[in-house]
Structure formats: structure tokens, C-alpha cells
Amino acid sequence: MAVVSAVDLTAGPGVGFLPLVSLGPAFAGLVGGWRRTALAGLTAFVLCLGLGVYNGLFESRRGLTALLSVAGVTAAGVVAAVMRQRREAELASVRSIAEVAQRVLLRPVPRSAGPLRIAVSYTSAVAEARIGGDLYEVVTSPAGVRIIVGDVQGKGLEAVESAAVVLGAFREAAYDEPDLPAVGERVERALNRHLSGERFVTAVLAEVGDGPYATLLNYGHPAPLVVRPAGTVGFAAPPERSLPLGLTWHAADAPLPYEVPFRPGDQLLFYTDGVSEARDAFDRFYPLDDRAALLKDADPEAALRAVREDLVEHAEGPLHDDAAMLLVRYRDEHPAGSAGSGSPV
């Protein structure tokens, strides 16, 4: 509005710049509230009136036309600002509800459980809702610490519903059942009962007790990454691939549990395919095993944050799929350095 006024005074009334002062309330309505828009409109109206009198425009219809333009644009901007603020308030309410739902569905995991230190990272592909179809849970049971990390087929509210069924069944079964196969059967029955075989869930279940092993049960899920204190890295793959939860009734045999050495200083990184299948500009998958050195930080949460930042950098922007990671560290009784130098973390 200041620029238009200066140009109008410099160029004179013959050029006809005066109606352009209505751009002030127009832009104010895009970025500000209705009060700010009304103030900008009032300022534009006063400027238009003063310049119109100064230039003698009210002797013809040009001055009145300019005033009507400013008044009309101001009224439209105020209405638009009110509607935009209402939509923003509704969106904030939806986000708040989604955050509460996520806290109920994906409860904060304990930072420590027995000899374990635990950290979790979750990024939803539906950024506006901040919730998706990946799931995780850590339960301390009489048999030890039991973990589930999974990925529901699809996205959106239907995937959230499936995740809620799986997590609810796991939380109950993890306390009651004597072993992981029994836990998996309980979750399978719950999923089939509620969803009638319409959806499936890839998942890996884990149990860490007092022994030097972690027991895993894999339902078609990406194998966890194992990082040793000496710096060796590998994937804890199952002996045979199995169908996901919700589809095991197609298979003759249920998946079998298998053991992975897990001693002080070792790390297990559970993740979903949103991590391992993230692609860069050259369509290359994220090399998770090559990035294991990022887990060297003494703080598990900081280590996992470093992996997540590197993952986003690899994808060169927002992820296109939900991505969950859960890092489990076996406390080292005699820490002496970092994983990057071949020492325990």
C-alpha cells in the first residue's frame, strides 16, 4: 500500500494506480486474522480517500470506484480470514485427537527394562494425522521382556484399526502365555476374529530373558539388524520365511521361534519396511546395515535419531511410508568405547 501510494503521488492521477491499494487487505486476508485484515482494509480506505481527494478523483466516478474496490476486497478478505481460522482450529483439534489416539495406541515404551535400554522412533506417512499403520510394544512379563514390531497392510484409519487389534491382543498375551508361539497364536486369533482375514500384518516378536540369547518369531517381517560390540553387523533372519499374521491359516505350519546370541554390548534394531525400502533419487534402497555405525552414540535415543535423520536425508524429503524403529541395547557391564572403534557401546 505504501508503494502504491508513492507511485500514485509520483505518476499522478492519470496513470490509475489508486485501486491497487486494495492489494493490502487482499494479502492480509491470506496470512493474518480477520482483525488484521480489517485494519489493513481501513488503512487502505483512508489512503484511497486521501489520495482521491488530493488528486481530485471524486469529481468523476474514478474515486468512488476505487473506494468501492477497497471496501469489497476488504469484506471478502475478512470473510476468507474467518473461514480460514475456523478450518485451522478444526485441523488443530483433529491433530490433537490424533496425538491422543497415538499415545493410547502406541504408548511410550520404557527406556529401560531389566538389562535392556530401549529407544523408539516413529514417523507416519500421513503427516497431518501423525498416526499410521506401523506398531510396536514392549512388555515386561514373567518370562522376560517381550517385544513386537509390525507393519499393517495399507494406511489410514483402517490400518490404525488393525494395529489396535494386534497391540491389544499382544499386550494381554505377553503377560499370560508361556512362550512366543502361544503369544503369536493369540494375536492371530484376535486378528482373524476382528478383521475376518481381510488384512494382514507383518510382525516380528522377540523375547529377552536371563539367558545369552534373544528368541525371535518372525511373521514375514524384515529381519532385525544385529550390531555387535566388535562392530560386526548382520541380520537376524529366520530359518524359513513365513506368512504374515492374518494369513497363517493358509500355511501348513506356523513359524518356528529361533534364537539369536544377545549378550552385554549387543544391539538389536527392529524396523519396518518404511525404513529398509526408503529410496533415494537413484531408486536405491536405504542401506541400513551400512549405516550401523550411526548407532555408536552412548544415548540410544540420540543414536536412533541419527539413523532417522540419515534416512530422511537418503530419501531427500518426507518419507512415503510409515517408518518405525525400535532399538534394544543389552547394557554393557564394562563399557570401554564406541561401536565405531570396535568397542562396546
Side-chain angles (χ1 to χ4, degrees):
M1 289 188 294
V3 171
V4 171
S5 300
V7 171
D8 185 79
L9 288 173
T10 303
V15 180
F17 279 124
L18 188 57
L20 293 180
V21 295
S22 61
L23 291 175
F27 283 111
L30 294 176
V31 298
W34 69 268
R35 291 183 178 86
R36 181 177 178 180
T37 304
L39 179 61
L42 178 61
T43 304
F45 190 87
V46 172
L47 284 173
C48 186
L49 182 62
L51 290 172
V53 172
Y54 176 79
N55 292 324
L57 297 180
F58 288 105
E59 298 176 0
S60 62
R61 296 180 180 179
R62 291 178 58 189
L64 181 60
T65 301
L67 285 177
L68 291 177
S69 298
V70 172
V73 171
T74 300
V78 169
V79 172
V82 170
M83 295 177 63
R84 177 175 52 79
Q85 287 181 308
R86 287 179 179 176
R87 289 194 297 268
E88 289 175 351
E90 293 175 356
L91 180 58
S93 177
V94 169
R95 286 180 172 175
S96 176
I97 293 172
E99 289 175 354
V100 173
Q102 186 178 38
R103 286 195 295 269
V104 173
L105 180 63
L106 299 176
R107 300 181 302 194
V109 301
R111 293 188 176 183
S112 62
L116 307 179
R117 297 183 66 190
I118 303 170
V120 68
S121 168
Y122 184 88
T123 304
S124 172
V126 186
E128 293 79 4
R130 304 182 186 179
I131 194 168
D134 287 2
L135 56 95
Y136 55 82
E137 182 59 287
V138 178
V139 174
T140 302
S141 71
V145 179
R146 287 176 170 172
I147 299 167
I148 185 172
V149 174
D151 186 1
V152 179
Q153 171 205 12
K155 299 182 180 69
L157 294 179
E158 293 182 351
V160 173
E161 178 187 5
S162 302
V165 171
V166 172
L167 287 174
F170 175 79
R171 287 164 181 160
E172 292 294 328
Y175 282 107
D176 302 333
E177 299 298 339
D179 52 35
L180 283 186
V183 175
E185 290 175 4
R186 282 270 296 272
V187 175
E188 177 75 29
R189 288 197 300 268
L191 195 61
N192 288 329
R193 183 170 62 251
H194 284 82
L195 304 179
S196 304
E198 297 177 356
R199 288 186 173 272
F200 62 84
V201 181
T202 67
V204 57
L205 282 65
E207 178 182 292
V208 181
D210 297 330
Y213 293 93
T215 303
L216 303 179
L217 187 64
N218 196 311
Y219 290 87
H221 196 77
L225 184 72
V226 183
V227 183
R228 306 293 182 192
T232 57
V233 178
F235 291 95
E240 296 181 359
R241 293 283 295 178
S242 300
L243 292 176
L245 289 165
L247 298 179
T248 55
W249 57 277
H250 288 291
D253 300 317
L256 298 176
Y258 59 101
E259 292 184 334
V260 176
F262 194 55
R263 300 179 178 87
D266 289 342
Q267 299 185 85
L268 270 174
L269 178 62
F270 300 88
Y271 56 94
T272 59
D273 60 7
V275 176
S276 57
E277 296 181 3
R279 299 172 184 262
D280 62 8
F282 299 98
D283 212 31
R284 296 174 297 193
F285 289 123
Y286 182 67
L288 184 60
D289 51 345
D290 293 338
R291 301 294 200 272
L294 296 172
L295 298 173
K296 63 184 179 180
D297 197 292
D299 181 7
E301 293 184 358
L304 208 54
R305 185 165 55 250
V307 176
R308 180 179 59 199
E309 292 173 354
D310 186 68
L311 175 67
V312 173
E313 183 178 352
H314 174 83
E316 299 181 359
L319 303 179
H320 299 292
D321 194 7
D322 301 331
M325 294 182 287
L326 190 146
L327 178 63
V328 180
R329 281 183 176 177
Y330 202 121
R331 295 179 187 270
D332 193 347
E333 298 175 354
H334 304 285
S338 67
S341 61
S343 302
V345 292

